Amino acid sequence: FSAPLPRIYEVSDTIDLPSIADSATTTVTATLTGAEVGDYVQITYPASVVNAGLSVGYPVVSDTDEIKFIVTNNSGGTVDVSSGNFTFKIVK
């Protein structure tokens, strides 16, 4: 007997983060067709997010076809990065 191999889906989306004040946090919602509550999700994001002093929290599937993640600004000033390509890997 061997266990079934995990199914892995990779989805990319262009996301425009809102302007975030210093020491503030925002929750970002993205639509990911095929995501289900309980799936494991990984995220990669543009270098501009890190270079701007933002921290990105662990993504979670919050509902069918929907994930959420938190972005925190630790830069010392308000940040508004341009939209960029975020990639999500879903493991079922």
Side-chain angles (χ1 to χ4, degrees), residues 32 34-37 61-66:
L32 296 174
E36 298 174 317
V37 174
V61 179
S62 54
D63 203 350
T64 302
D65 299 333
E66 178 183 274

Side-chain angles (χ1 to χ4, degrees), residues 15-21 25-28 54 71 73 78-81:
I15 296 176
D16 186 12
L17 297 176
S19 178
I20 307 170
T25 300
T26 189
T27 300
V28 179
L54 301 177
V71 180
N73 179 358
T78 299
V79 173
D80 189 5
V81 295

Side-chain angles (χ1 to χ4, degrees), residues 5-16:
L5 295 174
R7 294 175 295 159
I8 299 173
Y9 302 91
E10 191 169 296
V11 180
S12 293
D13 194 12
T14 299
I15 296 176
D16 186 12

